[in-house]
Amino acid sequence: MTAVLRILLRRVALLVPLMLGIVLFVFLVMRFSDVDPASAFFQGANPTPEQLHDFREEHGLLDPLPVRYVDFVADLLHGDMGTSALTRAPVLDQVTTALPLTLQLTFLGLGIAVVLSLVGGVTAAIYRDRLPDQIIRVVSLTGVAAPGFWLALLMIQYLAVDLGWFPTGGYINPADSFTGWLKTMTLPALALSLPVAAQLTRIVRTAVVEELDKDYVRTAIGSGLPPRVVVGRNVLRNALINPLTVLGLRVGYLLGGAVVIETIFSLPGMGKLMIDAVKNGDPAVVQGVVLTTAAGFVVVNLVIDVLYLLVNPRLRDAAT
């Protein structure tokens, strides 16, 4: 068994109590909220006290909290997230319908952020303290200070309404029209990714500058190796260790930011599903969306940890 596989199995084992803790937290928050599942189920129907009591008894809402938590975890393990009080449809069906769009938006935004930060950070490091570096630093500082929803509104006004280059909202399935999908996803992905790209650019620049000042770089260039080869083969590999760690945390921001961005652009993803569920008092859907988002964040960070170990052999050897 390879070292990476052993470490991966060790990290996966640690995820079990972590996920149980997340499920417990979400369970307790929803149970102590002001939203009553029975009232939400009968909303607008003026149920009698007997009907409310029968509903609570049928769904185990009168059981002690520990019993309800065990039943809740057992239902989750069987793929049952509950039933929507509004549509009477299984929450899992709604989540699986909305999740692909959110993943498309998140990973498209992540790809844009990675490309922009690598190009900007490496360029700023190579031309440090010169004009390109100063311009990139000003742009990155502006991007860090600009919230995603404000960028989204600006893009809608100038790029969609005034210039008409992109639609103001809506979604087109890539299977129907890839060009239409790209047009509908470009502005949301940019609004979501630019603040992350700005933060990562500063981190990449710092890491590359530190690496360029090391003796092995000067030795390699002095021995006749082209600078682009040294940067591409050695500097980037060593410099990207710290940005990888930050990238894992930023994925959580992208998943959370998708809630606002999807609402602004009328995208039928997880964010819009949760906002609609909160407005309509649908606790089961809110609970399902939060749990799915938390699980996605944990899985992505596991992948980032594995990449971190692959990039840094010293940590891999130390962990074994």
Side-chain angles (χ1 to χ4, degrees):
M1 186 182 296
T2 63
V4 174
L5 184 57
R6 285 198 298 270
I7 297 169
L8 177 60
L9 292 176
R10 199 180 307 162
R11 298 288 172 88
V12 171
L14 292 175
L15 292 184
V16 176
L18 176 61
M19 285 305 304
L20 287 175
I22 292 173
V23 171
L24 176 61
F25 176 77
V26 174
F27 173 81
L28 292 176
V29 168
M30 295 305 299
R31 294 309 173 273
F32 288 108
S33 68
D34 295 332
V35 179
D36 178 20
S39 300
F41 185 83
F42 289 106
Q43 57 181 319
N46 296 321
T48 63
E50 291 77 12
Q51 287 177 311
L52 291 174
H53 182 273
D54 291 343
F55 179 88
R56 294 188 181 106
E57 187 174 26
E58 180 184 353
H59 291 82
L61 299 178
L62 300 179
D63 295 335
L65 272 180
V67 175
R68 293 166 61 185
Y69 174 68
V70 172
D71 292 340
F72 179 60
V73 173
D75 289 339
L76 287 178
L77 292 176
H78 289 88
D80 183 7
M81 290 185 172
T83 303
S84 169
L86 185 66
T87 64
R88 306 295 192 267
V91 173
L92 183 62
D93 292 347
Q94 298 186 53
V95 168
T96 53
T97 300
L99 183 60
L101 189 146
T102 299
L103 292 178
Q104 292 171 28
L105 177 60
T106 300
F107 286 103
L108 182 60
L110 182 64
I112 294 173
V114 168
V115 171
L116 291 179
S117 61
L118 282 177
V119 173
V122 173
T123 303
I126 293 174
Y127 294 96
R128 57 179 154 174
D129 299 328
R130 286 181 276 177
L131 183 60
D133 181 27
Q134 294 170 357
I135 293 175
I136 291 172
R137 275 193 282 184
V138 170
V139 172
S140 63
L141 282 173
T142 305
V144 170
F149 71 88
W150 180 72
L151 291 173
L153 295 176
L154 284 182
M155 290 178 184
I156 290 175
Q157 178 61 47
Y158 293 107
L159 299 180
V161 176
D162 292 347
L163 298 176
W165 291 350
F166 301 96
T168 57
Y171 175 73
I172 296 177
N173 195 302
D176 298 330
S177 172
F178 180 78
T179 303
W181 172 81
L182 196 58
K183 285 185 177 181
T184 57
M185 296 296 285
T186 297
L187 293 187
L190 283 173
L192 190 63
S193 65
L194 288 180
V196 176
Q199 294 173 354
L200 286 177
T201 297
R202 295 171 57 81
I203 296 170
V204 170
R205 178 197 179 276
T206 302
V208 174
V209 165
E210 291 177 355
E211 210 60 34
L212 287 173
D213 287 338
K214 292 184 176 179
D215 292 336
Y216 80 88
V217 175
R218 289 191 289 267
T219 301
I221 294 176
S223 64
L225 286 175
R228 66 178 182 275
V229 174
V230 178
V231 172
R233 289 183 180 177
N234 303 104
V235 172
L236 277 182
R237 182 185 177 95
N238 296 325
L240 292 183
I241 295 173
N242 290 333
L244 264 180
T245 306
V246 177
L247 183 63
L249 299 175
R250 292 299 91 193
V251 172
Y253 167 84
L254 291 172
L255 287 170
V259 173
V260 178
I261 299 300
E262 287 175 1
T263 304
I264 292 175
F265 287 95
S266 300
L267 297 173
M270 295 281 282
K272 191 172 185 301
L273 179 63
M274 186 170 72
I275 293 296
D276 291 343
V278 170
K279 290 192 299 184
N280 297 319
D282 201 342
V285 175
V286 174
Q287 186 174 260
V289 172
V290 172
L291 285 174
T292 303
T293 304
F297 178 71
V298 169
V299 170
V300 168
N301 275 273
L302 174 64
V303 174
I304 294 295
D305 285 344
V306 174
L307 293 176
Y308 190 77
L309 291 168
L310 290 174
V311 171
N312 192 345
R314 287 173 297 178
L315 288 181
R316 184 170 65 245
D317 295 338
T320 57

